[in-house]
Each structure stands twice: as C-alpha cells, then as structure tokens.
C-alpha cells in the first residue's frame, strides 16, 4: 500500500499564508494545483522526492463544497482551525476497494494552469468523515508522467506519519498489517483526544522537520 499524498486543510483566508509557511518549512515553493469543480475546492501542491506530495486545500464559495464529501471534509477541518485533513493511498485498481466498501468511487478532476485535465477516481471520504483516522483511496486515470509526483520540486521526502487512532481499525480498512500499513513510510500510533493524522515528519536537506 503506497502513500500518495497528505492533505492539509485551511479556511480561505488562511490559504495563501499556510502555503507559504509550509513551503518555507520544507525549503521549496508550492505550485498552483487548480480548482476541483466537482468538490468545490482548490489546492496548491508540493511534489516531493520519493513519489509523494503535500496538498494544501481550501473550499470555494460554491454549492459543490456543501454537497461533495471531500468539500464537506475540508470545510469541517477548516472550521476546526485548520490542520492535517488526512492521508491518501493510491492503488492501481480501485475496483476491489469498491467491492469491499459496497459502492462505486467518485470521479474527480482539476484542470491545471497549463490546461491539462488531471483525472482520478477516489473512494473512502464517507469513512473519513465518520472516522478521521482512516485514509481514503485514489486511482489515477492519467499517465505516470502527468501525475503530481512526476516532477519533484525538492529532495525532501516524507519519512513518517503520526496517527491518533486504532491500528487494528486502520489495518482492517486497508487490508494491510497494523505494524506496517504503508510501504517505505514509518507509521507511529499516538494518543490523542481526537482521531486523525496528527503530524507528518519530513526528511529535508537541513534535517528532519515535523509539521
């Protein structure tokens, strides 16, 4: 199971300053990811080495943000003061996940500033809304060279993630062992009042950085 990206959600008025803050901490600038018209959101992304990226996302003043599960999740996290929304795992074939969860995935897309229509399928946002410790799944519908991770802007990598929650529940949801749910990423289980992604540890050229 491969970590695709981690997502940080903020209110619209904090969007630009958060992008600048995280970019400064990680030693690289974010790029404009564009608008998610079906979800009522927009993002900036920072492609990292190691095949992952960081997303900073906010809602738009658009009805889709109230209807779509992803827009709802972003809005809720922003209303709580902003912070890590969650972690996303990518799969080559989302059909087995659809079968296990008993519903079809939702198609998403955003048009990049260069005009390319980035498309994917995702599932698991309903579970994330109910239990923020859980990840959601994504299957890219575009070639590898067009995905956000294709052009790293820094040598920084994600070294590990800290999650508040129940390791057994996540292992069952992922179908992976609780002591090693993600390839090449350390997962630390921590105690916290609220379940969810607590922090992400990055390995940078200037040493470890935890956000």
């Amino acid at each position: 199971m491969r970590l695709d990206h981690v997502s940080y959600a903020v209110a619209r008025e904090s969007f630009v300053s958060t992008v600048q803050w995280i970019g400064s901490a990680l030693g690289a600038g974010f790029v404009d990811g564009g608008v998610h018209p079906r979800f009522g959101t927009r993002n900036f992304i920072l492609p990292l080495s190691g095949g992952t990226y960081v997303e900073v996302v906010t809602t738009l003043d658009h009805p889709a943000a109230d209807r779509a599960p992803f827009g709802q999740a972003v809005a809720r996290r922003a209303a709580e003061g902003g912070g890590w929304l969650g972690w996303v795992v990518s799969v080559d074939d989302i059909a087995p996940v659809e079968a296990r969860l008993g519903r079809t995935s939702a198609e998403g897309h955003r048009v990049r500033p260069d005009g390319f229509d980035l498309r994917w399928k995702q599932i698991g946002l309903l579970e994330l809304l109910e239990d923020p410790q859980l990840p959601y799944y994504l299957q890219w519908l575009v070639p590898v060279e067009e995905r956000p991770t294709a052009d790293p802007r820094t040598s920084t990598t994600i070294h590990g993630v800290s999650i508040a929650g129940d390791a057994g529940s996540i292992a069952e949801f992922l179908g992976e062992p609780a002591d090693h749910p993600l390839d090449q990423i350390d997962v630390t289980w921590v105690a916290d009042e609220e379940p969810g992604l607590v922090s992400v540890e990055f390995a940078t050229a200037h040493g470890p950085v935890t956000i």
Side-chain angles (χ1 to χ4, degrees):
M1 192 66 63
R2 191 178 72 82
L3 180 68
D4 189 82
H5 67 277
V6 289
S7 183
Y8 196 100
V10 292
R12 287 191 289 273
E13 58 269 21
S14 304
F15 186 50
V16 173
S17 61
T18 301
V19 167
Q20 293 172 338
W21 162 57
I22 296 180
S24 177
L26 299 182
F30 279 68
V31 294
D32 187 355
V35 169
H36 310 116
R38 295 177 182 172
F39 305 146
T41 57
R42 68 164 301 183
N43 70 359
F44 269 68
I45 66 167
L46 176 54
L48 307 173
S49 295
T52 62
Y53 68 97
V54 181
E55 168 190 56
V56 177
V57 61
T58 192
T59 57
L60 300 169
D61 185 12
H62 191 281
D66 299 323
R67 296 193 305 264
F70 185 70
Q72 293 173 17
V74 172
R76 184 174 70 180
R77 191 70 183 96
E80 295 169 347
W84 290 114
L85 172 66
W87 47 299
V88 186
V89 294
S90 63
V91 293
D92 294 329
D93 182 7
I94 209 165
V97 184
E98 292 175 324
R100 192 165 78 247
L101 298 183
R103 65 180 188 277
T104 58
S105 55
E107 291 199 4
H109 81 104
R110 58 179 169 85
V111 178
R112 295 189 315 219
D114 66 2
F116 183 81
D117 190 12
L118 192 67
R119 297 177 296 106
W120 66 90
K121 292 181 179 180
Q122 65 185 48
I123 194 170
L125 266 301
L126 296 178
E127 285 74 15
L128 174 67
L129 284 166
E130 294 179 1
D131 189 355
Q133 68 177 316
L134 297 176
Y136 66 91
Y137 291 91
L138 179 150
Q139 177 190 340
W140 290 106
L141 301 178
V142 296
V144 172
E145 61 270 19
E146 296 293 351
R147 298 174 191 176
T149 54
D151 186 21
R153 295 177 59 84
T154 173
S155 61
T156 294
T157 62
I158 294 178
H159 175 72
V161 295
S162 294
I163 300 171
D166 177 63
S169 297
I170 293 177
E172 181 179 359
F173 185 69
L174 290 175
E176 297 287 330
D179 60 349
H180 186 65
L182 292 173
D183 292 341
Q184 301 177 330
I185 302 290
D186 291 337
V187 177
T188 302
W189 309 103
V190 298
D192 198 282
E193 293 182 359
E194 297 294 332
L197 178 60
V198 175
S199 63
V200 180
E201 182 181 335
F202 300 88
T204 79
H206 304 290
V209 172
T210 299
I211 295 175

